[in-house]
Amino acid sequence: MTALPQPPWAPLSDAARAIMLAVLMRGPTPRSELARRIGLSAGSLTRLTAPLLESGLLVEAGPSRSGAGRPTRPLDIAADAHHFLGVKVTDEDAHLVVTDLRAQIVAGARAALPGHSPGDVVATVRREAGALARRVPELTAAGLSLGGQVADHATVTAAPFLHWTREVPLGALLTEALGVPSVVDNDLLALTRAEHWFGAGRGHDRFAVLTTGISVGYGLVVHDRIVDSPDAGLGLIAHLPLDPYGPYCPDGHRGCATAMLAAPSIAAAVSTGVRRPVSYEECLRMAADGDRVASPVVTAAAHALGRLITVVSSLTMARRVVLTGEGIGLAEVGREALEDGMRADRHAAATPTSYEIQPIDFSLWARGAAATAIQRFILGPEDG
């Protein structure tokens, strides 16, 4: 893979880089809090931040804060100093965003894929990225995510939705096509990275992400680092058993996460009951209105989701779980059943698990790909 450029603060000391990362992830931060968080004296912090302010990597932001000495202003990063392209590829479309250094979306686009070949994907991304790039001074790097397995942020080893069964050096192909360093990631891992640094997981050194939609996905951060594996793109949690009396999934597993939680499974169960095709969104609306077929199906699914949250929390000791994905409306419609499911398998004396429902669209999946590029740009290949 073509190497990413040197991180913008690579020449800095470990303490100076820690300051930059703390401000990047937490937003404008008072100097006193920075010093306390990193374990520096006020004098050391002043000495380390002076060159960062002079170079423009840090800026003073917000109103002055008065302390024991003279008033000071919180420190922040210059978020608009760098811009990143993020791309989420599905079996039908490429969803693109441009973000700043803090993964805030500043522009977006969507384009249909003319085909599933690597050439089709790269050509589509190149065309749409060219139009988006004209809306910012320049792109620093790019990231692309998809459902499948990715090695070394560079090579797609399997992408079932695109029917790729052989290795594709997609990182190198994108770097050549876009003219900026490019990385590739599994879409769920990319989304978890974005939640870790810039979203609902910010400030938590241990949390999990669960997604529902076409399938069921899972991401985990432990000790402030994402848990990665060559098997991350296999969707291993999708077949975890949740209900021994539940329906079967296409792979023949009874009551697994796919059978209970995937949008196609829920839609199929309701469609069978009402004897007409029903979309997933209509299933949720019918359940909310008390339909006698949709309500028990959605209630059982939400209860199973609650059990899945408890399984993940109990095995990983994660006290916070982020619920997201295109199908996460299930958690809102069936919230009571979900919380019943969480309590059903949780030790009575255990600390309650908190959860947050994050509605999402494909632009936020694309933002996850941009977050992967941001992490690699800042931390370098070994730590990104």
Side-chain angles (χ1 to χ4, degrees), residues 9 17 44 59 79 85 91 117 134 153 177 186 189 209 218 238 268 280 291 301 343 375:
W9 43 86
R17 185 181 296 188
S44 294
V59 295
L85 176 71
D91 61 332
S117 73
R134 288 194 288 271
H153 290 287
N186 167 264
L189 290 179
V209 173
Y218 167 57
Y280 176 71
D291 182 86
R343 289 188 292 267
Q375 284 197 357

Side-chain angles (χ1 to χ4, degrees), residues 4-20:
L4 284 175
Q6 279 293 95
W9 43 86
L12 302 180
S13 67
D14 290 342
R17 185 181 296 188
I19 292 170
M20 293 294 299

Side-chain angles (χ1 to χ4, degrees), residues 78-103:
D80 58 357
H82 296 275
H83 291 89
F84 299 82
L85 176 71
V87 185
K88 158 66 174 172
V89 174
T90 72
D91 61 332
E92 297 179 344
D93 307 298
H95 301 262
L96 303 90
V97 298
V98 172
T99 77
D100 63 16
L101 189 54
R102 195 166 266 135

